[in-house]
Amino acid sequence: MSGSNPVPQPPTEPSGAARAASKPKRPKWLIPVIAGGCAVVLAAGGIGGYLYWNHDRLTAASEECATSYDRAVKARKKLTEYLKSDALKTAIRVKDSEVKDAKTVGTLASTVKTASKTKTDIPGCPADGLKDIKAVTARLDKTADVYAKTVGEVKAEAEAVNASKTDKIVADATRILNDSKGRVKDDKVRAALEHAIKSKDGKAISDAVKAVNDSIKAKSDADAKARAEKEKQAADNAAQAPDNGSSYTGDTTGGYTGYTGGGYTQSQGGYAYMPQQPTGNGGGYTPAPQPTPQPTPQPSQGGNGGGSTGGDDGWDTCFTVDTSGKPGVQVPCS
């Protein structure tokens, strides 16, 4: 169309031959160079990754070794502290006579002696060398196990001694409980002892046994006092009771030993009987001095015997004697 602006057209795409002819050509030597560079980059990346991986393994191994070292040190310290503990010293001081099984005491002493000689070295962890680090770690773990095992063995033997001691305490307390029946002042103490025995608490049992023994002593003292008072009362009653017997002793209770007989004295009418008079203040009778024997007159006929004398009045007086021991009397001779 004349007189109008023409519409712009897109550029025409060159043909394939034309495009090939227009591209610049690369030199042949550049291709190997590019390939080699790629290989170098790949190699460098692989070496770096290996080094990083190896460093990570060393770090982990070192941390594991440090943990094993701390464990071994703590195990050794724990053994040292337990060997010096009051609990173990108390168990060691227990005597054979204080336990039910004396073998436990000897076993504990032997175990403690062996444990005291346990001195396993604790090596430090290496700074590098994966193989060396792992070897030291294994050694540290074994050392820690040895110390831990030793502590366990010593504790077990100490506990065996304590248990055997408790067994004997329980056995002795049970015997006391059985023997104290009916012998205590307050039976509540026996009930407390029985409860303590069931708890197997050594301190509680010891306190309960003491209470029972004290109660036994209190009852024994009370019984002895009661017996003494009863015997004293019986003696007082016997002393105050009247004596109906005929025997007297001493100045106030002199014994009467029977008739001792009196003497005969010559009187105006013949012989007269003089009974013996008591002397003293309640004592026995004693015979009076006997007179000088006189010629015995001839008895008269008849009568019970006796003597006769001639009186001034011409009467013959006879003295009769009773064979039963009664005093004689004067009678006229028949």
Side-chain angles (χ1 to χ4, degrees):
M1 296 171 141
S2 60
S4 64
N5 295 327
V7 177
Q9 298 294 324
T12 303
E13 183 69 25
S15 62
R19 287 199 304 272
S22 64
K23 287 182 180 182
K25 294 183 179 181
R26 296 175 181 175
K28 294 180 179 181
W29 58 267
L30 183 59
I31 296 174
V33 171
I34 293 174
C38 292
V40 170
V41 171
L42 292 174
I47 293 173
Y50 172 77
L51 293 176
Y52 180 80
W53 174 77
N54 189 57
H55 175 74
D56 186 61
R57 291 182 65 192
L58 288 174
T59 301
S62 296
E63 292 176 354
E64 184 179 355
C65 184
T67 301
S68 298
Y69 178 84
D70 291 341
R71 179 168 168 261
V73 171
K74 290 180 180 179
R76 181 176 63 182
K77 182 180 180 181
K78 189 174 183 180
L79 174 61
T80 301
E81 291 176 349
Y82 185 71
L83 291 176
K84 296 180 181 179
S85 67
D86 293 337
L88 180 61
K89 290 179 180 178
T90 300
I92 292 175
R93 286 194 293 266
V94 175
K95 300 178 182 178
D96 294 355
S97 59
E98 298 176 336
V99 295
K100 191 172 183 180
D101 184 3
K103 292 181 180 179
T104 57
V105 176
T107 302
L108 174 61
S110 177
T111 304
V112 170
K113 184 177 180 180
T114 302
S116 301
K117 296 180 180 180
T118 302
K119 296 180 180 180
T120 303
D121 294 333
I122 300 179
C125 296
D128 55 8
L130 183 61
K131 185 176 181 180
D132 293 340
I133 293 175
K134 288 186 175 182
V136 172
T137 300
R139 181 178 174 184
L140 290 171
D141 289 340
K142 184 177 181 180
T143 300
D145 291 341
V146 169
Y147 281 120
K149 182 180 179 180
T150 303
V151 172
E153 290 175 349
V154 177
K155 279 188 175 182
E157 298 305 334
E159 290 173 357
V161 169
N162 293 331
S164 185
K165 181 179 179 180
T166 300
D167 290 342
K168 188 174 189 304
I169 290 175
V170 169
D172 293 344
T174 302
R175 184 173 62 254
I176 292 174
L177 177 65
N178 295 333
D179 294 345
S180 64
K181 186 175 182 180
R183 297 174 55 201
V184 294
K185 190 174 183 180
D186 183 0
D187 205 56
K188 291 181 180 179
V189 295
R190 294 185 68 253
L193 176 57
E194 185 177 8
H195 179 74
I197 291 173
K198 292 180 180 179
S199 70
K200 292 188 176 181
D201 185 336
K203 179 65 168 56
I205 293 175
S206 179
D207 293 342
V209 166
K210 183 179 182 303
V212 169
N213 288 334
D214 291 344
S215 187
I216 290 175
K217 185 177 184 302
K219 186 177 187 303
S220 177
D221 293 344
D223 292 346
K225 183 178 180 180
R227 285 195 301 269
E229 292 177 351
K230 185 176 181 181
E231 292 173 358
K232 182 177 182 301
Q233 185 63 40
D236 292 343
N237 293 340
Q240 294 174 3
D243 189 354
N244 298 324
S246 59
S247 177
Y248 297 90
T249 59
D251 292 339
T252 59
T253 58
Y256 176 72
T257 58
Y259 175 74
T260 57
Y264 292 90
T265 59
Q266 186 176 10
S267 64
Q268 182 177 5
Y271 288 92
Y273 174 73
M274 298 294 294
Q276 177 66 39
Q277 298 296 325
T279 60
N281 54 354
Y285 289 98
T286 56
Q290 298 294 326
T292 302
Q294 298 293 329
T296 304
Q298 294 296 323
S300 61
Q301 296 179 355
N304 294 327
S308 63
T309 59
D312 295 338
D313 54 1
W315 290 91
D316 290 332
T317 302
C318 296
F319 183 80
T320 63
V321 179
D322 194 329
T323 59
S324 64
K326 293 182 181 180
V329 295
Q330 294 179 356
V331 297
C333 294
S334 58

